[in-house]
Amino acid sequence: MTIEQHRAIALRFLNEGWGTRPDWQAVWDELISPDVVHHFNSEPKPIVGLAKNKAFNSILFDGFPDIVHTLQAMVAEDDKVVYRTTLKGTHTGEFLGMPPTGKTAQINDFTMLRISDRKILEWWYDCNLLALMQQLDLIPAS
């Protein structure tokens, strides 16, 4: 596969695999390996498997049902694609065990995908959950 094909898969995952879209899980079925390994910065161990990753990400989409992400930058090289987005949404549902606050928050994040044979095999995700918790008034701002 070419770098441009990898970019196209990453863009499709970013735009069509977003949890505010009703068909996001079908897009994941198409683009993500059943054995995907997801390295989330706030989890001590990787989240392994497509079903576990769908369940984990549903927590975000349920907690922030109006969440919008805006692509800021994307770089692709070899079998990896990295992109940075800005996320903005209103906390109207339970999120990571926290009851809804009704507050709007905005953070930046980074995603790196390793792609082979038209499938996302590995996924790294990093965001600032401390800033998110501060914006939701769940912990004091420093």
Side-chain angles (χ1 to χ4, degrees):
M1 291 186 65
T2 68
I3 289 173
E4 284 308 310
Q5 289 171 317
H6 290 156
R7 282 178 54 91
I9 289 169
L11 281 170
R12 183 151 181 247
F13 177 60
L14 174 74
N15 293 319
E16 296 176 32
W18 195 238
T20 54
R21 294 179 56 114
D23 61 341
W24 73 273
Q25 292 195 39
V27 173
W28 282 39
D29 289 341
E30 184 182 337
L31 298 180
I32 300 178
S33 167
D35 301 320
V36 66
V37 177
H38 179 187
H39 308 275
F40 179 60
N41 69 310
S42 295
E43 288 290 316
K45 294 182 179 181
I47 304 160
V48 179
L50 179 57
K52 286 183 182 177
N53 276 282
K54 284 180 180 180
F56 181 78
N57 279 274
S58 290
I59 294 168
L60 169 66
F61 303 137
D62 292 345
F64 294 85
D66 68 343
I67 196 166
V68 173
H69 63 201
T70 304
L71 180 64
Q72 302 297 329
M74 179 178 276
V75 177
E77 183 176 304
D78 298 327
D79 63 349
K80 294 189 181 62
V81 178
V82 177
Y83 55 84
R84 183 177 77 82
T85 64
T86 300
L87 300 173
K88 184 175 183 179
T90 309
H91 182 216
T92 58
E94 185 177 316
F95 175 67
L96 297 176
M98 296 170 289
T101 62
K103 297 192 178 297
T104 298
Q106 179 175 314
I107 62 169
N108 296 315
D109 67 351
F110 280 93
T111 299
M112 182 167 71
L113 305 172
R114 184 171 65 88
I115 302 168
S116 181
D117 295 326
R118 300 191 183 335
K119 294 282 188 184
I120 297 167
L121 303 177
E122 203 162 3
W123 173 11
W124 292 263
Y125 181 77
D126 196 320
C127 68
N128 187 341
L129 285 178
L130 174 61
L132 175 64
M133 300 304 155
Q134 289 173 332
Q135 290 177 56
L136 299 177
D137 289 333
L138 294 169
I139 60 173
S142 51

